């Protein structure tokens, strides 16, 4: 819906989008795109009204409004208009030019209402909304002294006078009127004065003014590089981030930005928990302001506690603009997406962000009986909304946060969305030491400079990790919510059984056969794929007796893995009405939060945190009478390359002592302290400190606006992302699907690490 005041005089002559990019397959005018961008800016401003004051720049919204209004004026250049209208000659003439650079020619039309610093900020926001400073420096080198600026003049000379006049009239008649229509005058956006009748001198001065602002921008960026004060950088990161968010949301034709009210009663009602049945730790979470740690047993409603905490959080009377639910594994994230959608009643309110989120969304829609083409279109739209920082609730991994720190393209827009946000961190124990160091340094940065708050929860916090978290979040010793010992005892579900030796003996396989034949669902966990495959071969004869046997590991492609997970969840899931005995042979992938509930486990030795996660798949719902036995072999105890040998030795020492006893989760933290004492603890501290210091020096302290970094991007992807490969046997199927359903084709790919790729 467009406002009453509208520049009809340029509606048909000046376009912003060609028909293939416009809404409904029609070209889009500059006026309409600008109106949409300003509307989205107004949404973002209302979402974070106190931000300008928090950043110490009360005129931030004022600068952004006028910056967005002018950001695309350079699209009036004949070459750009020719590109949109399919004029081949003009397209070639325009090749290599940037419309945002030519938008700088119009900044000086605003003569008052902005001081010199604010004009520089607007120039920086306008010229940087697509490309970084280094790219623009390369595209627009300075002319030789005394030589005419032909690079700019060849484009400017062709700009018709009527276009100059039309743009000026648009700015003068609609600029302030639109601000009032959007209600931005209530947030500090003020009227400005404009030069009268600029068309007479425009062609003579435009190139000179563009060069002036380009030089000022380059000098500004250089000055930023010589400084080391986040108080200077963070407002500028917000400036560019807000403009990018507004522009991209407008280009995507996204509707008004949704918001959500976090209410405790909604959590209680949607999760079906009577208020009087809330546990003590859930009540404490609901009454806690600011960052906090939670220690509570598995299955005791930590997610609900976290959401009750989220409902409590306010700053300056304002509800948090964003909630980020952070998990380490894609399967955990996919499951949490569904849980949160149930609570917030609208799929558009909850976004999903991870490397394969598009496929996850597609599969969830297919499970709801969508047509494949409809599911593909809808999944792409939902994924793109998350990329636009659109949904107020998002499920993602901490590696999404690290993308911003490593300055991947669009990092300013991503960081801007973290202002005043609240973060829930679950399964914090899942990260190895080096990655935990990067994550905690990122959390510290957001706490200190973005007013972000964090709820970090686990059933098992070793003291060392607690100390790091307290330092990161600036917490006192009392800033922790602990479930009662009685509650931990209530949720005891496992009895520890140590089996000396390894799985590959006739006697040990006989134990598994006996449990399966007795009607139990059995989980068998090996640490590496080759051993899991070998164990599966030894157990698959059970199929001849009508007992299902499945193999699950990380080297299956996504299609096969999802099929296998469905079979196991159908047989053992808490919501399944077809529960039946099954033997599941798996690797560490089973530690992920799959909704499976088996009767017993036989697992190879692993660090205690990993074993506790594996145990969590057994008697998950507490339906077994008494305690379910969890069996741990003592061999191989060399860590099998993937684990630290000393951690295995320490774990086995503790477990042998606890043989035959109930697994007491309240004591696991103390057990971990035993395992990580002495040389192991010192090694862990040294590795953490070294990684944290290097990350702070190379990444955090070099974080600046206007400068994404390709080298850091490559470093990030090699450190945190694997590589997708296609098994040769699927080549023909892949080619066929690429032509019809490319999303389903990508399900045939297998993710492997860069190290594994180089081995192959």
């Amino acid at each position: 819906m467009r406002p009453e005041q509208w520049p009809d005089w340029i509606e048909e002559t000046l376009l912003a989008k060609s028909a293939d990019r416009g809404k409904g397959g029609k070209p889009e005018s500059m006026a309409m795109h600008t109106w949409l961008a300003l509307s989205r800016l107004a949404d973002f401003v209302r979402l974070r009204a106190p931000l300008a004051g928090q950043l110490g720049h009360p005129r931030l919204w004022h600068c952004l409004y006028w910056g967005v209004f002018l950001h695309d004026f350079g699209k009036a250049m004949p070459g750009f208009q020719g590109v949109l209208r399919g004029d081949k000659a003009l397209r070639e003439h325009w090749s290599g030019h940037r419309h945002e650079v030519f938008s700088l020619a119009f900044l000086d039309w605003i003569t008052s209402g902005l001081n010199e610093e604010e004009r520089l900020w607007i120039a920086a926001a306008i010229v940087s909304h697509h490309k970084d400073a280094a790219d623009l420096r390369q595209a627009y080198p300075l002319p030789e002294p005394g030589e005419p600026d032909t690079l700019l003049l060849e484009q400017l000379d062709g700009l018709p006078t009527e276009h100059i006049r039309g743009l000026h009239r648009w700015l003068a008649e609609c600029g302030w009127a639109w601000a009032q229509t959007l209600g931005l005058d209530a947030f500090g956006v003020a009227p400005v004065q404009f030069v009268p009748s600029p068309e007479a001198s425009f062609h003579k001065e435009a190139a000179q003014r563009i060069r002036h602002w380009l030089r000022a921008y380059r000098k500004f960026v250089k000055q930023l590089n010589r400084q080391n004060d986040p108080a200077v950088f963070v407002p500028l990161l917000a400036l560019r981030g807000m403009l990018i968010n507004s522009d991209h949301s407008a280009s995507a034709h996204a509707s008004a930005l949704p918001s959500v009210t976090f209410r405790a009663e909604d959590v209680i009602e949607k999760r079906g928990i009577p208020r009087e049945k809330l546990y003590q730790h859930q009540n404490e979470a609901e009454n806690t302001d600011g960052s906090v740690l939670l220690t509570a047993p598995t299955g005791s409603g930590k997610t609900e506690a976290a959401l009750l905490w989220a409902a409590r959080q306010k700053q300056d009377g304002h509800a948090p603009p964003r909630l980020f639910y952070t998990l380490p594994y894609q399967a955990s994230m996919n499951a949490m997406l569904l849980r949160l959608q149930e609570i917030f009643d609208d799929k558009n309110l909850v976004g999903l962000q991870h490397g394969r989120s598009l496929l996850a969304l597609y599969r969830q829609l297919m499970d709801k009986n969508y047509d494949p083409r409809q599911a593909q279109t809808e999944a792409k739209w939902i994924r793109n909304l998350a990329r636009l920082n659109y949904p107020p609730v998002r499920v993602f991994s901490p590696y999404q946060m690290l993308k911003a720190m490593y300055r991947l393209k669009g990092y300013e827009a991503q960081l801007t969305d973290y202002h005043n946000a609240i973060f829930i961190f679950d399964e914090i124990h899942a990260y190895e030491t080096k990655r935990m160091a990067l994550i905690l340094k990122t959390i510290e940065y957001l706490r200190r400079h973005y007013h972000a708050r964090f709820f970090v929860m686990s059933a098992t916090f070793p003291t060392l990790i607690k100390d790091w978290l307290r330092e990161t979040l600036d917490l006192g010793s009392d800033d922790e919510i602990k479930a009662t010992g009685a509650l931990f005892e209530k949720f005891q579900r496992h009895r520890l059984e140590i089996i000396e030796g390894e799985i590959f003996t006739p006697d040990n396989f006989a134990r598994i056969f006996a449990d399966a034949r007795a009607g139990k669902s059995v989980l068998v966990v090996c640490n590496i794929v080759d051993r899991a495959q070998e164990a599966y071969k030894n157990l698959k004869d059970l199929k001849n007796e009508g007992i299902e046997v499945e193999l699950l590991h990380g080297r299956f492609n996504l299609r096969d893995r999802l099929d296998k997970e469905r079979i196991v969840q159908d047989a053992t899931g808490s919501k399944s009405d077809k529960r039946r005995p099954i033997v599941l042979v798996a690797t560490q992938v089973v530690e992920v939060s799959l909704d499976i509930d088996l009767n017993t486990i036989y697992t190879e030795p692993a660090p205690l945190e990993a074993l506790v996660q594996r145990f969590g798949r057994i008697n998950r719902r507490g339906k077994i009478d008494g305690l379910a036995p969890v069996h741990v072999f003592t061999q191989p105890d060399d860590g099998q390359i993937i684990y630290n040998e000393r951690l295995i030795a320490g774990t086995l020492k503790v477990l042998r002592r606890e043989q035959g006893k109930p697994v007491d989760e309240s004591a696991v933290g103390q057990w971990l302290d035993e395992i990580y004492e002495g040389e192991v603890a010192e090694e862990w501290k040294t590795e953490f400190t070294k990684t944290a210091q290097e990350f702070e020096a190379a990444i955090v302290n070099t974080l600046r606006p206007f400068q994404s970094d390709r080298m850091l991007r490559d470093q990030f992807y090699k450190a945190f992302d694997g590589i997708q490969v296609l098994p040769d046997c699927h080549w023909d199927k892949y080619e066929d699907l690429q032509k019809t359903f490319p999303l389903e084709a990508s399900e045939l790919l297998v993710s492997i690490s860069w190290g594994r790729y180089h081995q192959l």
Side-chain angles (χ1 to χ4, degrees):
M1 183 176 177
R2 71 186 204 178
E4 182 178 344
Q5 199 81 1
W6 194 260
D8 294 304
W9 54 92
I10 58 169
E11 180 71 8
E12 301 296 330
T13 55
L14 293 179
L15 302 179
K17 307 284 181 187
S18 56
D20 62 322
R21 298 285 182 92
K23 190 173 184 179
K26 297 179 180 179
E28 187 170 290
S29 69
M30 280 176 56
M32 178 54 71
H33 173 70
T34 302
W35 168 253
L36 292 175
L38 289 169
S39 299
R40 298 294 75 78
L41 173 66
D43 291 342
F44 283 114
V45 170
R46 281 188 283 270
L47 192 66
R48 294 185 177 83
L51 181 60
Q54 287 176 344
L55 296 177
H57 287 271
R59 300 259 287 177
L60 175 65
W61 305 139
H62 179 67
C63 291
L64 270 166
Y65 176 81
W66 293 109
V68 173
F69 204 108
L70 293 170
H71 82 289
D72 269 358
F73 267 41
K75 287 183 176 180
M77 292 300 113
F80 190 91
Q81 292 297 307
V83 170
L84 298 183
R85 299 175 193 277
D87 187 314
K88 186 176 180 181
L90 285 173
R91 178 190 294 272
E92 291 177 357
H93 183 59
W94 178 254
S95 179
H97 280 287
R98 302 298 315 169
H99 72 268
E100 60 269 29
V101 169
F102 287 88
S103 295
L104 294 174
F106 304 92
L107 177 55
D108 289 296
W109 284 5
I110 300 176
T111 56
S112 66
L114 295 164
N115 61 37
E116 197 61 28
E117 181 189 53
E118 291 166 352
R119 285 151 68 85
L120 177 58
W121 276 41
I122 293 177
I126 289 172
V127 79
S128 71
H129 77 268
H130 286 300
K131 296 289 184 180
D132 290 315
D135 299 318
L136 296 174
R137 187 168 57 249
Q138 185 175 357
Y140 289 91
L142 291 171
E144 293 294 327
E147 294 293 324
D149 199 341
T150 54
L151 187 64
L152 299 177
L153 289 172
E154 285 179 356
Q155 299 296 327
L156 291 164
D157 287 345
L159 182 63
T161 300
E162 59 266 27
H163 287 181
I164 301 171
R165 190 179 296 120
L167 289 169
H168 183 266
R169 183 182 170 193
W170 174 28
L171 181 62
E173 294 188 17
C174 300
W176 178 234
W178 284 9
Q180 291 175 299
T181 300
L182 292 168
L184 289 174
D185 51 332
F187 295 93
V189 177
V192 295
Q193 298 297 314
F194 313 111
V195 297
S197 306
E199 60 268 19
S201 60
F202 183 84
H203 288 98
K204 185 198 302 189
E205 298 175 356
Q208 178 185 354
R209 298 313 297 164
I210 290 173
R211 285 297 176 188
H212 165 79
W213 288 117
L214 280 176
R215 281 193 294 269
Y217 173 58
R218 290 169 185 168
K219 182 179 178 182
F220 187 39
V221 171
K222 286 182 180 178
Q223 289 173 340
L224 291 175
N225 285 335
R226 290 195 290 267
Q227 294 179 280
N228 192 24
D229 185 0
V232 173
F233 308 142
V234 172
L236 290 166
L237 288 162
L239 179 81
R240 190 186 190 195
M242 282 281 192
L243 201 150
I244 290 172
N245 272 331
S246 303
D247 184 42
H248 288 183
S249 295
S251 295
H253 302 101
S255 57
L257 201 68
S259 60
V260 63
T261 301
F262 302 103
R263 295 179 64 250
E265 295 309 317
D266 290 339
V267 176
I268 292 168
E269 178 186 338
K270 296 295 171 53
R271 298 303 294 168
I273 311 170
R275 179 168 278 285
E276 63 274 12
K277 293 291 182 68
L278 289 176
Y279 294 121
Q280 175 188 323
H281 65 277
Q282 294 172 323
N283 284 314
E284 284 188 49
E286 186 182 354
N287 291 293
T288 298
D289 294 305
S291 298
V292 70
L293 307 181
L294 168 67
T295 306
T298 303
S300 65
K302 291 195 293 295
T303 296
E304 288 73 21
L307 294 172
L308 290 169
W309 169 85
R312 171 77 179 194
Q313 305 311 301
K314 282 185 172 56
Q315 284 195 2
D316 302 323
H318 292 270
R322 291 286 184 264
L323 166 63
F324 296 97
Y325 203 112
T326 313
L327 289 156
Y329 303 115
Q330 291 182 4
S332 310
M333 291 179 250
N334 298 342
M336 185 55 65
L337 173 70
L338 296 176
R339 290 180 71 180
L340 294 180
Q341 284 176 339
E342 290 176 1
I343 290 173
F344 294 108
D345 268 346
D346 186 341
K347 67 178 185 296
N348 291 323
L349 294 180
V350 188
L352 178 68
Q353 288 180 284
H354 60 66
R356 308 194 84 175
S357 59
L358 182 58
L359 275 172
L361 293 166
Y362 174 75
R363 274 293 152 206
Q364 288 183 2
L365 292 169
M366 289 294 289
D367 288 344
K368 296 176 182 177
N369 298 318
Y370 274 61
D371 170 84
R373 294 191 187 280
Q374 183 188 11
Q376 186 166 282
T377 301
E378 181 78 2
K380 286 181 178 178
W381 176 244
I382 297 170
R383 189 272 311 270
N384 289 342
L385 286 178
R387 286 182 171 179
L388 291 169
N389 303 313
Y390 204 72
V393 179
R394 243 162 292 155
V395 183
F396 69 4
S397 80
Y399 305 125
Q400 296 295 323
M401 298 162 62
L402 289 174
K403 283 183 178 179
M405 304 304 289
Y406 275 84
R407 286 188 271 153
L408 272 65
K409 187 173 176 62
Y411 67 101
E412 294 102 334
Q414 187 180 345
L415 282 169
T416 298
D417 217 37
Y418 298 156
H419 280 289
N420 297 300
I422 52 177
F423 294 79
I424 296 169
F425 267 77
D426 198 0
E427 302 185 39
I428 193 75
H429 56 269
Y431 310 102
E432 53 89 19
T433 311
K434 289 183 178 180
R435 294 194 175 190
M436 186 174 290
L438 308 188
I439 292 165
L440 295 192
K441 273 297 171 186
T442 300
I443 289 174
E444 181 183 31
Y445 177 83
L446 296 178
R447 174 189 65 79
R448 294 179 63 184
H449 305 297
Y450 282 72
H451 297 87
R453 286 149 289 167
F454 298 84
F455 188 93
V456 186
M457 57 188 181
S458 178
T460 55
F461 276 124
T463 301
L464 198 52
I465 290 180
K466 268 190 187 178
D467 290 344
W468 288 338
L469 284 166
R470 286 193 179 108
E471 182 179 354
T472 296
L473 295 173
D474 192 27
L475 299 178
S477 57
D478 294 332
D479 293 323
E480 181 181 354
I481 301 168
K482 294 180 181 179
T484 63
L487 189 66
F488 273 99
E489 186 174 344
K490 176 181 177 180
F491 279 89
Q492 284 181 356
R493 293 172 181 170
H494 308 122
R495 184 183 70 254
L496 187 63
E497 299 290 345
I498 301 301
I499 302 176
E500 296 295 335
E502 67 165 324
I503 187 174
F504 292 100
T505 69
D507 287 346
N508 287 332
F509 277 118
R511 293 171 184 252
I512 299 170
F513 272 88
D515 278 344
R517 288 167 178 155
K520 294 182 180 180
S521 289
V522 184
L523 176 60
V524 178
V525 186
C526 297
N527 293 329
I528 58 177
V529 173
D530 291 348
R531 289 176 67 86
Q533 291 170 329
E534 187 64 27
Y536 173 76
K537 290 176 184 176
N538 280 275
L539 293 167
K540 67 179 182 179
D541 286 347
L542 283 166
K543 292 182 179 182
N544 298 329
E545 302 176 33
I547 298 171
E548 291 181 84
V549 184
E550 283 294 337
L551 174 65
L552 182 64
H553 56 68
R555 289 191 204 159
F556 285 111
N557 64 39
L558 185 64
R559 169 175 291 186
D560 291 342
R561 182 165 167 177
L562 287 173
D563 287 343
K564 288 171 175 293
E565 288 178 358
R566 284 195 189 96
I567 291 169
V568 178
Q569 287 179 309
D570 188 49
T572 68
S574 61
K575 296 180 181 179
S576 175
D577 57 0
K578 301 176 183 176
R579 288 179 62 87
R580 58 194 182 274
I582 191 171
V583 175
L584 173 62
V585 183
T587 58
Q588 301 100 308
V589 297
V590 81
E591 296 169 20
V592 174
S593 295
L594 292 175
D595 179 21
I596 58 176
D597 185 3
L598 297 94
N599 300 109
T600 190
I601 182 175
Y602 291 85
T603 176
E604 291 188 327
L608 183 60
E609 307 98 299
L611 291 177
V612 170
Q613 284 297 104
R614 296 175 191 184
F615 298 166
R617 311 301 134 208
I618 307 304
N619 196 16
R620 189 174 178 85
R621 306 297 168 189
K623 301 295 185 182
I624 297 174
D625 291 335
L627 299 176
V630 290
H631 306 88
V632 181
F633 295 105
T634 60
Q635 295 291 330
D637 60 1
D638 59 357
Q640 297 168 281
I641 301 176
I642 59 174
Y643 294 127
N644 184 308
E645 186 176 347
R646 284 183 295 181
L647 292 183
I648 302 296
T651 298
L652 290 174
K653 178 182 176 183
V654 169
L655 295 186
R656 283 188 172 105
R657 185 188 68 213
E658 301 297 324
Q659 159 70 3
K661 299 178 184 177
V663 177
D664 181 2
E665 278 194 324
S666 67
V668 169
Q670 298 169 16
W671 297 353
L672 287 168
D673 289 344
E674 288 183 49
I675 294 166
Y676 286 105
E677 67 182 359
E679 289 184 13
V680 174
E682 291 307 312
E683 183 181 302
W684 213 23
K685 289 177 185 176
T686 300
E687 187 175 50
F688 179 91
T689 302
K690 181 175 183 291
T691 304
Q693 289 174 345
E694 290 175 350
F695 179 72
E696 189 166 39
I699 306 297
V700 179
N701 291 344
T702 63
L703 186 59
R704 305 284 189 279
F706 316 118
Q707 303 173 63
S708 61
D709 191 303
R710 291 182 182 88
M711 290 181 65
L712 289 180
R713 177 197 64 192
D714 294 343
Q715 185 179 330
F716 172 85
Y717 281 122
K718 288 200 173 183
F720 301 111
D721 266 20
I723 185 170
Q724 305 272 344
V725 298
L726 178 70
D728 185 63
C729 60
H730 292 314
W731 174 255
D732 291 339
K733 183 68 172 175
Y734 181 83
E735 280 201 312
D736 289 342
L737 285 171
Q738 277 285 76
K739 298 169 188 173
T740 52
F741 300 110
L743 268 183
E744 294 194 10
S746 66
E747 289 183 336
L748 300 176
L749 300 173
V750 178
S751 291
I752 62 173
S753 68
W754 281 94
R756 179 66 175 162
Y757 170 73
H758 289 301
Q759 287 174 357
L760 292 172

